[in-house]
Amino acid sequence: MKTQLASVLASAWLGAVGLATFGSAAAQVQPVGQVTLHIGQALVVSASGATEAVRRGSQVHPGDRIETSEGGHVHIRFVDGALVSVRPTSRLVIEDYQYNPQQVAQSLVRFRLEKGVTRAISGAAAEGAKERFRLNTPLVAIGVRGTDFVVRSQPGQTIATVNQGAIVMAPFGAGCSPQAFGPCGSVSAKLLSADMGNMLVEFRSTLAQPEIKPLNGVKPPEVLFALADASPAADAARSREAGKPAARSSSDEAISTALVQEVVRKASEVPAVVPPVVVVPPVVVAPPVVVVPPVVVVAPPLEPIKIPPVPVVPPEPPQLAWGRWGGGPLGVTDFSIARGEARAGRVVTVGDNDFILYRTENGGFTMPGDLGNVRFALQQAHAQFNSGLGIQAASVDGGSLSINFPAREFNTALSLSSAPTGKVGLQAAGYIREDGIFNARTATQGVAGAIALDGKSVGLLFEKAAAGGVLSGITLWSR
């Protein structure tokens, strides 16, 4: 009996192990997306090397490579609602795609565009875990900030444009590994936002860092997605019902009519004929002697003098405002505000992966011509240290900033510190553009900033490589 029981238990255990193994294998091969549009010739090559022609409805899995031929075009909708288009003569690899609607913050997404052009519209995974989304090309890493963007990769060059949101492009090297997730925080990273207008970011293998350039009227490769899941019910949920005007009340009209009728009624009661007045001569009587008491005049109390209230004039909104991409402050010293609030009435100037500086321009910036060499005082500062494994607190212990307005030159120095780095110094100088924006970069540090329209304040962004990570932050100066 014991032998039979042991045999049954062993069989049950083996069955459970088999089911667990099968479940694990099934989980590994679960599709993460589906082809919604297919034009021309295209292939899906699995991680094992199996090749299949792309069809509408084809499923894609982590490790798959999408290859399009001349004239080939593929649209993919992923499980989190993300949309990706692979244009002709392109090769895109889905390196990793992990999404769980119950744990969106733990999502992992990484693509590799080996060549060609792709457009990506972020889904729930990229929206809920921006620090864990990455698109690599052979040259650079691209992270997102809730984004619709287009990337073109060819030998020695990567170009990207942004239709909505923002991206961060950084070349591979110190502080930026192809195996990592999320945007790189290296000093050579560049941010491109849709708020900047018709601009692109380009990196060439002969450059040290990406460059922001105008599109010059050249439209980026656009892709129109056909959203098949649109429905009248969804449209009705998104629309807002217009309010109906209230029925006009007749109470005022009724009251006016009643008052008129009352006046007419009382007027009708007045006699039409007035009788003649009879004049009776008065009887003359000697008046008695009356002693009139003296009149006492009492002065009325003095009324207090009413001083009209002084009107409160609200202060002018600051010309410079640091906005942040995230929801809340990044630390106790973070003085940035929500990006939508910072953007109100202002335009974007400079920024990085965490912050973006907005400025009031009122029709355009002109360098103040009546100022000489001005020294600015540090008003607010926030710093942090990114080791690649996490964010730690840092501080700006002091600094200086001088601007020579006639020569259009700046000179700045900052004293920084954090627990991993100790005290670190940063010094930079350079030229200021006609629009009041400036930057200076080396292999280990970078600064960028903008001058306010009235020349009374300056916003400065900084990065400094130290102790295997990057010290970075924002400052605000005034004179």
Side-chain angles (χ1 to χ4, degrees), residues 124-146:
E127 292 286 350
K130 297 181 179 65
E131 302 302 326
R132 298 163 72 85
F133 176 96
R134 170 76 71 83
L135 187 148
N136 290 332
T137 74
L139 299 176
V140 301
I142 297 176
V144 302
R145 288 295 183 186

Side-chain angles (χ1 to χ4, degrees), residues 316-341:
E316 290 287 334
Q319 294 190 10
L320 296 177
W322 282 104
R324 59 177 173 267
W325 293 106
L330 300 184
V332 294
T333 60
D334 181 8
F335 61 94
S336 65
I337 58 179
R339 188 166 64 99
E341 182 182 351

Side-chain angles (χ1 to χ4, degrees), residues 342-361:
R343 184 172 53 187
R346 304 180 182 93
V347 299
V348 66
T349 57
V350 298
D352 66 0
N353 187 37
D354 295 312
F355 304 100
I356 192 163
L357 179 62
Y358 291 91
R359 177 177 68 184
T360 302
E361 294 200 353

Side-chain angles (χ1 to χ4, degrees), residues 202-419:
E202 176 189 26
F203 179 76
R204 295 178 180 270
S205 56
T206 56
L207 301 176
Q209 60 190 20
E211 294 182 341
I212 305 294
K213 297 180 177 180
L215 282 172
N216 293 326
V218 178
K219 297 199 69 174
E222 293 291 341
V223 178
L224 299 178
F225 286 100
L227 303 180
D229 57 355
S231 66
D235 293 339
R238 288 189 294 265
S239 64
R240 294 183 177 180
E241 182 179 352
K244 298 180 180 179
R248 184 178 178 182
S249 173
S250 61
S251 59
D252 290 342
E253 183 178 355
I255 293 172
S256 298
T257 302
L259 289 175
V260 170
Q261 291 173 348
E262 179 67 12
V263 171
V264 171
R265 182 183 63 79
K266 289 186 176 182
S268 64
E269 295 175 355
V270 178
V273 178
V274 180
V277 178
V278 178
V279 179
V280 179
V283 177
V284 178
V285 179
V289 178
V290 178
V291 179
V292 180
V295 177
V296 180
V297 178
V298 180
L302 296 177
E303 294 185 2
I305 300 174
K306 295 181 180 180
I307 302 175
V310 178
V312 178
V313 179
E316 290 287 334
Q319 294 190 10
L320 296 177
W322 282 104
R324 59 177 173 267
W325 293 106
L330 300 184
V332 294
T333 60
D334 181 8
F335 61 94
S336 65
I337 58 179
R339 188 166 64 99
E341 182 182 351
R343 184 172 53 187
R346 304 180 182 93
V347 299
V348 66
T349 57
V350 298
D352 66 0
N353 187 37
D354 295 312
F355 304 100
I356 192 163
L357 179 62
Y358 291 91
R359 177 177 68 184
T360 302
E361 294 200 353
N362 296 330
F365 180 88
T366 302
M367 284 287 289
D370 56 346
L371 301 177
N373 194 349
V374 178
R375 297 181 65 86
F376 288 80
L378 182 61
Q379 299 297 315
Q380 293 176 291
H382 167 73
Q384 59 189 25
F385 178 71
N386 187 346
S387 64
L389 301 176
I391 304 296
Q392 296 176 257
S395 65
V396 178
D397 303 322
S400 63
L401 173 65
S402 62
I403 292 181
N404 188 330
F405 282 90
R408 298 223 311 251
E409 295 176 344
F410 78 94
N411 194 307
T412 188
L414 293 173
S415 176
L416 313 172
S417 64
S418 70

